[in-house]
mmCIF file of all heavy atoms in Angstrom:
data_model
loop_
_atom_site.group_PDB
_atom_site.id
_atom_site.type_symbol
_atom_site.label_atom_id
_atom_site.label_comp_id
_atom_site.label_asym_id
_atom_site.label_seq_id
_atom_site.Cartn_x
_atom_site.Cartn_y
_atom_site.Cartn_z
ATOM 1 N N SER A 41 100.313 157.973 60.522
ATOM 2 C CA SER A 41 99.519 159.191 60.324
ATOM 3 C C SER A 41 99.102 159.257 58.874
ATOM 4 O O SER A 41 99.886 158.870 57.974
ATOM 5 C CB SER A 41 100.309 160.452 60.723
ATOM 6 O OG SER A 41 100.599 160.428 62.106
ATOM 7 N N TYR A 42 97.948 159.801 58.637
ATOM 8 C CA TYR A 42 97.306 159.742 57.333
ATOM 9 C C TYR A 42 96.838 161.132 56.965
ATOM 10 O O TYR A 42 96.364 161.887 57.837
ATOM 11 C CB TYR A 42 96.121 158.762 57.418
ATOM 12 C CG TYR A 42 95.618 158.175 56.157
ATOM 13 C CD1 TYR A 42 96.352 157.239 55.430
ATOM 14 C CD2 TYR A 42 94.361 158.525 55.679
ATOM 15 C CE1 TYR A 42 95.882 156.655 54.305
ATOM 16 C CE2 TYR A 42 93.865 157.943 54.540
ATOM 17 C CZ TYR A 42 94.620 157.021 53.844
ATOM 18 O OH TYR A 42 94.110 156.434 52.678
ATOM 19 N N PHE A 43 96.922 161.528 55.694
ATOM 20 C CA PHE A 43 96.503 162.820 55.265
ATOM 21 C C PHE A 43 97.145 163.964 56.078
ATOM 22 O O PHE A 43 96.474 164.767 56.686
ATOM 23 C CB PHE A 43 94.988 162.967 55.303
ATOM 24 C CG PHE A 43 94.246 162.050 54.399
ATOM 25 C CD1 PHE A 43 93.134 161.363 54.834
ATOM 26 C CD2 PHE A 43 94.623 161.910 53.085
ATOM 27 C CE1 PHE A 43 92.452 160.513 53.983
ATOM 28 C CE2 PHE A 43 93.972 161.041 52.219
ATOM 29 C CZ PHE A 43 92.879 160.362 52.654
ATOM 30 N N ALA A 44 98.497 163.929 56.109
ATOM 31 C CA ALA A 44 99.263 164.966 56.817
ATOM 32 C C ALA A 44 98.840 165.097 58.282
ATOM 33 O O ALA A 44 98.553 166.202 58.772
ATOM 34 C CB ALA A 44 99.152 166.278 56.095
ATOM 35 N N ASN A 45 98.719 163.962 58.985
ATOM 36 C CA ASN A 45 98.396 163.896 60.391
ATOM 37 C C ASN A 45 96.954 164.238 60.763
ATOM 38 O O ASN A 45 96.624 164.413 61.926
ATOM 39 C CB ASN A 45 99.329 164.821 61.235
ATOM 40 C CG ASN A 45 100.780 164.399 61.106
ATOM 41 O OD1 ASN A 45 101.092 163.201 61.090
ATOM 42 N ND2 ASN A 45 101.683 165.373 61.034
ATOM 43 N N ILE A 46 96.073 164.328 59.759
ATOM 44 C CA ILE A 46 94.666 164.579 60.078
ATOM 45 C C ILE A 46 94.025 163.340 60.657
ATOM 46 O O ILE A 46 93.227 163.418 61.584
ATOM 47 C CB ILE A 46 93.928 165.048 58.776
ATOM 48 C CG1 ILE A 46 94.462 166.388 58.317
ATOM 49 C CG2 ILE A 46 92.433 165.104 59.032
ATOM 50 C CD1 ILE A 46 93.866 166.864 57.023
ATOM 51 N N ALA A 47 94.369 162.172 60.121
ATOM 52 C CA ALA A 47 93.803 160.897 60.582
ATOM 53 C C ALA A 47 94.895 160.035 61.179
ATOM 54 O O ALA A 47 96.064 160.188 60.837
ATOM 55 C CB ALA A 47 93.117 160.203 59.410
ATOM 56 N N ASN A 48 94.505 159.133 62.075
ATOM 57 C CA ASN A 48 95.416 158.221 62.688
ATOM 58 C C ASN A 48 94.995 156.775 62.389
ATOM 59 O O ASN A 48 93.802 156.438 62.408
ATOM 60 C CB ASN A 48 95.441 158.420 64.222
ATOM 61 C CG ASN A 48 96.099 159.732 64.578
ATOM 62 O OD1 ASN A 48 97.222 160.001 64.212
ATOM 63 N ND2 ASN A 48 95.371 160.559 65.300
ATOM 64 N N TYR A 49 95.983 155.938 62.096
ATOM 65 C CA TYR A 49 95.763 154.541 61.744
ATOM 66 C C TYR A 49 96.556 153.699 62.755
ATOM 67 O O TYR A 49 97.787 153.790 62.773
ATOM 68 C CB TYR A 49 96.182 154.290 60.328
ATOM 69 C CG TYR A 49 95.933 152.895 59.816
ATOM 70 C CD1 TYR A 49 94.652 152.415 59.740
ATOM 71 C CD2 TYR A 49 96.989 152.059 59.445
ATOM 72 C CE1 TYR A 49 94.399 151.119 59.251
ATOM 73 C CE2 TYR A 49 96.744 150.776 58.951
ATOM 74 C CZ TYR A 49 95.472 150.305 58.868
ATOM 75 O OH TYR A 49 95.196 149.035 58.416
ATOM 76 N N ASP A 50 95.887 152.927 63.608
ATOM 77 C CA ASP A 50 96.533 152.183 64.649
ATOM 78 C C ASP A 50 96.139 150.708 64.611
ATOM 79 O O ASP A 50 95.011 150.369 64.217
ATOM 80 C CB ASP A 50 96.160 152.761 66.025
ATOM 81 C CG ASP A 50 96.629 154.179 66.198
ATOM 82 O OD1 ASP A 50 97.839 154.402 66.282
ATOM 83 O OD2 ASP A 50 95.760 155.073 66.207
ATOM 84 N N TYR A 51 97.092 149.866 65.016
ATOM 85 C CA TYR A 51 96.875 148.414 64.914
ATOM 86 C C TYR A 51 97.606 147.741 66.052
ATOM 87 O O TYR A 51 98.738 148.095 66.423
ATOM 88 C CB TYR A 51 97.439 147.956 63.547
ATOM 89 C CG TYR A 51 97.790 146.487 63.439
ATOM 90 C CD1 TYR A 51 96.824 145.489 63.307
ATOM 91 C CD2 TYR A 51 99.128 146.084 63.434
ATOM 92 C CE1 TYR A 51 97.156 144.179 63.166
ATOM 93 C CE2 TYR A 51 99.473 144.743 63.285
ATOM 94 C CZ TYR A 51 98.478 143.793 63.165
ATOM 95 O OH TYR A 51 98.836 142.482 63.028
ATOM 96 N N ILE A 52 96.967 146.730 66.649
ATOM 97 C CA ILE A 52 97.566 145.881 67.677
ATOM 98 C C ILE A 52 97.082 144.467 67.459
ATOM 99 O O ILE A 52 95.919 144.237 67.109
ATOM 100 C CB ILE A 52 97.243 146.379 69.112
ATOM 101 C CG1 ILE A 52 97.965 145.514 70.131
ATOM 102 C CG2 ILE A 52 95.742 146.401 69.338
ATOM 103 C CD1 ILE A 52 97.866 146.032 71.565
ATOM 104 N N ALA A 53 97.983 143.499 67.616
ATOM 105 C CA ALA A 53 97.602 142.118 67.403
ATOM 106 C C ALA A 53 98.425 141.222 68.306
ATOM 107 O O ALA A 53 99.568 141.541 68.680
ATOM 108 C CB ALA A 53 97.812 141.722 65.949
ATOM 109 N N GLY A 54 97.858 140.054 68.628
ATOM 110 C CA GLY A 54 98.572 139.029 69.387
ATOM 111 C C GLY A 54 98.256 137.663 68.789
ATOM 112 O O GLY A 54 97.144 137.433 68.302
ATOM 113 N N ALA A 55 99.259 136.790 68.804
ATOM 114 C CA ALA A 55 99.072 135.451 68.230
ATOM 115 C C ALA A 55 99.812 134.434 69.087
ATOM 116 O O ALA A 55 100.792 134.754 69.756
ATOM 117 C CB ALA A 55 99.573 135.432 66.796
ATOM 118 N N MET A 56 99.303 133.159 69.028
ATOM 119 C CA MET A 56 99.950 132.137 69.799
ATOM 120 C C MET A 56 99.661 130.764 69.134
ATOM 121 O O MET A 56 98.580 130.544 68.598
ATOM 122 C CB MET A 56 99.429 132.086 71.250
ATOM 123 C CG MET A 56 97.945 131.839 71.382
ATOM 124 S SD MET A 56 97.375 131.866 73.101
ATOM 125 C CE MET A 56 98.154 130.382 73.698
ATOM 126 N N PRO A 57 100.646 129.888 69.142
ATOM 127 C CA PRO A 57 100.372 128.503 68.672
ATOM 128 C C PRO A 57 99.606 127.750 69.754
ATOM 129 O O PRO A 57 99.939 127.830 70.938
ATOM 130 C CB PRO A 57 101.783 127.939 68.463
ATOM 131 C CG PRO A 57 102.692 128.758 69.293
ATOM 132 C CD PRO A 57 102.051 130.133 69.423
ATOM 133 N N LEU A 58 98.571 127.018 69.368
ATOM 134 C CA LEU A 58 97.839 126.191 70.301
ATOM 135 C C LEU A 58 98.562 124.854 70.535
ATOM 136 O O LEU A 58 98.628 124.350 71.640
ATOM 137 C CB LEU A 58 96.449 125.963 69.780
ATOM 138 C CG LEU A 58 95.540 127.195 69.684
ATOM 139 C CD1 LEU A 58 94.167 126.797 69.100
ATOM 140 C CD2 LEU A 58 95.381 127.856 71.013
ATOM 141 N N ASP A 59 99.015 124.276 69.470
ATOM 142 C CA ASP A 59 99.811 123.038 69.482
ATOM 143 C C ASP A 59 100.573 122.953 68.175
ATOM 144 O O ASP A 59 100.686 123.944 67.468
ATOM 145 C CB ASP A 59 98.865 121.827 69.704
ATOM 146 C CG ASP A 59 97.649 121.821 68.714
ATOM 147 O OD1 ASP A 59 97.882 122.142 67.530
ATOM 148 O OD2 ASP A 59 96.570 121.538 69.178
ATOM 149 N N ARG A 60 101.051 121.796 67.816
ATOM 150 C CA ARG A 60 101.845 121.669 66.586
ATOM 151 C C ARG A 60 101.004 121.707 65.351
ATOM 152 O O ARG A 60 101.506 121.835 64.233
ATOM 153 C CB ARG A 60 102.645 120.373 66.640
ATOM 154 C CG ARG A 60 103.662 120.297 67.766
ATOM 155 C CD ARG A 60 104.451 118.996 67.697
ATOM 156 N NE ARG A 60 105.237 118.893 66.493
ATOM 157 C CZ ARG A 60 105.999 117.827 66.177
ATOM 158 N NH1 ARG A 60 106.071 116.805 67.033
ATOM 159 N NH2 ARG A 60 106.684 117.801 65.089
ATOM 160 N N GLU A 61 99.682 121.686 65.523
ATOM 161 C CA GLU A 61 98.792 121.601 64.398
ATOM 162 C C GLU A 61 97.874 122.790 64.207
ATOM 163 O O GLU A 61 97.129 122.876 63.232
ATOM 164 C CB GLU A 61 97.922 120.327 64.459
ATOM 165 C CG GLU A 61 98.700 119.020 64.449
ATOM 166 C CD GLU A 61 99.481 118.820 63.155
ATOM 167 O OE1 GLU A 61 99.002 119.223 62.102
ATOM 168 O OE2 GLU A 61 100.602 118.295 63.238
ATOM 169 N N SER A 62 97.907 123.779 65.132
ATOM 170 C CA SER A 62 96.961 124.887 65.028
ATOM 171 C C SER A 62 97.511 126.117 65.758
ATOM 172 O O SER A 62 98.377 126.006 66.619
ATOM 173 C CB SER A 62 95.595 124.502 65.591
ATOM 174 O OG SER A 62 95.685 124.124 66.953
ATOM 175 N N ALA A 63 96.949 127.266 65.412
ATOM 176 C CA ALA A 63 97.351 128.547 66.029
ATOM 177 C C ALA A 63 96.183 129.515 65.919
ATOM 178 O O ALA A 63 95.305 129.362 65.061
ATOM 179 C CB ALA A 63 98.593 129.126 65.322
ATOM 180 N N VAL A 64 96.190 130.534 66.810
ATOM 181 C CA VAL A 64 95.131 131.528 66.829
ATOM 182 C C VAL A 64 95.734 132.919 66.973
ATOM 183 O O VAL A 64 96.919 133.068 67.355
ATOM 184 C CB VAL A 64 94.108 131.318 67.990
ATOM 185 C CG1 VAL A 64 93.379 130.036 67.835
ATOM 186 C CG2 VAL A 64 94.841 131.365 69.316
ATOM 187 N N ALA A 65 94.932 133.925 66.606
ATOM 188 C CA ALA A 65 95.402 135.318 66.734
ATOM 189 C C ALA A 65 94.162 136.196 66.912
ATOM 190 O O ALA A 65 93.051 135.852 66.525
ATOM 191 C CB ALA A 65 96.194 135.758 65.523
ATOM 192 N N PHE A 66 94.402 137.388 67.489
ATOM 193 C CA PHE A 66 93.356 138.373 67.639
ATOM 194 C C PHE A 66 93.955 139.737 67.347
ATOM 195 O O PHE A 66 95.090 140.043 67.785
ATOM 196 C CB PHE A 66 92.759 138.374 69.063
ATOM 197 C CG PHE A 66 91.638 139.386 69.237
ATOM 198 C CD1 PHE A 66 90.400 139.175 68.709
ATOM 199 C CD2 PHE A 66 91.879 140.568 69.942
ATOM 200 C CE1 PHE A 66 89.365 140.090 68.864
ATOM 201 C CE2 PHE A 66 90.844 141.483 70.123
ATOM 202 C CZ PHE A 66 89.600 141.257 69.556
ATOM 203 N N SER A 67 93.263 140.539 66.562
ATOM 204 C CA SER A 67 93.809 141.855 66.162
ATOM 205 C C SER A 67 92.716 142.908 66.175
ATOM 206 O O SER A 67 91.539 142.632 66.019
ATOM 207 C CB SER A 67 94.449 141.778 64.777
ATOM 208 O OG SER A 67 93.520 141.340 63.810
ATOM 209 N N VAL A 68 93.152 144.158 66.379
ATOM 210 C CA VAL A 68 92.278 145.315 66.389
ATOM 211 C C VAL A 68 92.897 146.417 65.509
ATOM 212 O O VAL A 68 94.070 146.693 65.658
ATOM 213 C CB VAL A 68 92.043 145.870 67.820
ATOM 214 C CG1 VAL A 68 91.105 147.074 67.771
ATOM 215 C CG2 VAL A 68 91.478 144.753 68.723
ATOM 216 N N ILE A 69 92.094 146.969 64.639
ATOM 217 C CA ILE A 69 92.522 148.093 63.791
ATOM 218 C C ILE A 69 91.583 149.261 64.014
ATOM 219 O O ILE A 69 90.348 149.073 64.115
ATOM 220 C CB ILE A 69 92.497 147.712 62.289
ATOM 221 C CG1 ILE A 69 93.511 146.585 62.007
ATOM 222 C CG2 ILE A 69 92.784 148.912 61.410
ATOM 223 C CD1 ILE A 69 93.439 146.084 60.574
ATOM 224 N N ARG A 70 92.139 150.471 64.145
ATOM 225 C CA ARG A 70 91.351 151.677 64.260
ATOM 226 C C ARG A 70 91.859 152.697 63.256
ATOM 227 O O ARG A 70 93.055 152.989 63.185
ATOM 228 C CB ARG A 70 91.378 152.305 65.648
ATOM 229 C CG ARG A 70 90.523 153.549 65.747
ATOM 230 C CD ARG A 70 90.689 154.257 67.098
ATOM 231 N NE ARG A 70 89.745 155.354 67.295
ATOM 232 C CZ ARG A 70 89.987 156.613 66.923
ATOM 233 N NH1 ARG A 70 91.122 156.942 66.332
ATOM 234 N NH2 ARG A 70 89.094 157.574 67.120
ATOM 235 N N PHE A 71 90.951 153.225 62.476
ATOM 236 C CA PHE A 71 91.261 154.338 61.541
ATOM 237 C C PHE A 71 90.286 155.464 61.844
ATOM 238 O O PHE A 71 89.056 155.260 61.723
ATOM 239 C CB PHE A 71 91.112 153.873 60.108
ATOM 240 C CG PHE A 71 91.395 154.932 59.094
ATOM 241 C CD1 PHE A 71 92.712 155.278 58.779
ATOM 242 C CD2 PHE A 71 90.374 155.643 58.470
ATOM 243 C CE1 PHE A 71 92.979 156.296 57.851
ATOM 244 C CE2 PHE A 71 90.640 156.642 57.571
ATOM 245 C CZ PHE A 71 91.950 156.964 57.230
#
């Protein structure tokens, strides 16, 4: 919570290794 609960800041993310040489992730942020 931000500014005494006036605003909300939320985040979700997921990540996974593709193989031994690479990895990916996706994330979403809302303010």
Side-chain angles (χ1 to χ4, degrees):
S41 296
Y42 201 71
F43 295 135
N45 298 322
I46 294 175
N48 291 304
Y49 183 63
D50 297 291
Y51 158 76
I52 183 171
M56 61 180 293
L58 295 178
D59 49 43
R60 297 183 63 181
E61 298 298 324
S62 59
V64 295
F66 181 74
S67 58
V68 179
I69 295 175
R70 181 186 187 271
F71 179 79

